Amino acid sequence: MFASLLLATMTTPQVSPVVMSGPAEQQLFAWMPGPVRCAGFAVTGTPIRRPLTGLRWPGGDQALRPATYTFRIDANGRPLSIARAGEGYVWQGEDIAPSLAASRFPAGAARSDCTIAYTARLTPMAAAPVADLMSYTISPTMGVLPRTGWDRLPPAGATCRNDPQPQALVRVYPDFRMLPGTPGLRNWSMLQYDIDVRGRPANVRVVEGTGNAPLNAASIKALKAWRYTPGARTGCLFPFRQAPKNMAAPVMPDQATLAPANGNCPVKHDWVTRPLLTYPDPWRRRAIEGWAVVAFDVAPWGATGNLRVLASEPSTEFGEQAVRMLGGAKLAASPTGQSGCVDRILFVLRPADTAPAAEMAP
């Protein structure tokens, strides 16, 4: 039960004693953003989001070279045209570009030729910051936090996990729809509290989180209304989490402005096998929308080929996803095939149910 109640970070001065773990235990892994430079000048983010924390077994450090990304910043301070510099697989790097897209820089003049390098940090559970351990439980991308990590989360002397563990009889949650969200960021508030002999929460306070004041206040109010089986307990923890607010994609260019010259492809395609439209999961997790404009040719038998990205925002990763989708599509056969075909693909999160979707733009 306790594992389902823990999900956040804690800054209280008292924590459980640190116990060194064995060499084969998983460690906490994080990509740490470095300084940003645009055309040679330093630029400060407000803030630069950290990629989601992960887990890693010791060893294989040769795969953890710094990962560099290029981008530009528009007049509103939004990072765009995000692209990986260099080749090769970035281990657990799926959230690097989305986290950069969720970051912000000072508004003003647009900036170009920007770079940022992310450096891998690998920390044993016994030495990892408790805040990072708890933050991992909010978005556990690599499975359950190891027990030695969980054991460091409660304050020293906590009795909330002692058997028989308290059972929640009444649970109340904030109305998240009425709280201001943050584009591209899952807000959360970790509460620490005690339970009195009647089963009522006491000493409820926020010990860690993303600093969203309305969520903090609503979480405290909600948890005070919880009721447990009788019996005094101390050092209980519970997180309240709020989904990211949708971050809309930049304006998509008109298809005609990017169409290759001398193409013979009709504007409307006669699909035999339509593209399998799928949303890239790392971007869905942060509720960031995007688009891609892709050019391709069609063989006489209808297969697509020579696929290339003409433009994509806010990252090249939307273009890569669009190429994968169109690569499996097929059009009707024709005597000569077609060249210079162009499709625009929107990646949107629908307000009605927040279900991610990719769709062909008209």
Side-chain angles (χ1 to χ4, degrees), residues 3 61 101 130 217:
D61 290 355
V130 175

Side-chain angles (χ1 to χ4, degrees), residues 37 51 53 76 87 91 95 105 117 138 141 162 171 192-193 216 224 251 255 277 304 322 326 332 336 338 343 357:
R37 301 188 71 84
T53 304
N76 296 317
E87 299 179 351
W91 194 83
D95 191 50
F105 294 86
I138 297 295
T141 58
N162 294 354
R171 293 184 177 183
Q192 183 177 315
Y193 57 101
N216 288 347
K224 285 182 176 180
V251 177
Q255 181 170 326
L277 303 177
T304 58
L326 287 169
T336 61
Q338 302 166 5
D343 263 323

Side-chain angles (χ1 to χ4, degrees), residues 332-349:
S334 62
T336 61
Q338 302 166 5
S339 64
C341 301
V342 175
D343 263 323
R344 301 187 306 162
I345 300 174
L346 292 168
F347 296 85
V348 295
L349 294 156

Side-chain angles (χ1 to χ4, degrees), residues 222-265:
L223 200 140
K224 285 182 176 180
W226 285 37
R227 294 296 180 265
Y228 286 90
T229 48
R233 293 288 188 273
T234 62
C236 303
L237 297 169
F238 188 84
F240 288 98
R241 295 169 288 179
Q242 180 188 29
K245 182 180 178 181
N246 286 10
M247 181 180 291
V251 177
M252 177 182 280
D254 185 82
Q255 181 170 326
T257 64
L258 297 175
N262 303 320
N264 66 348
C265 191

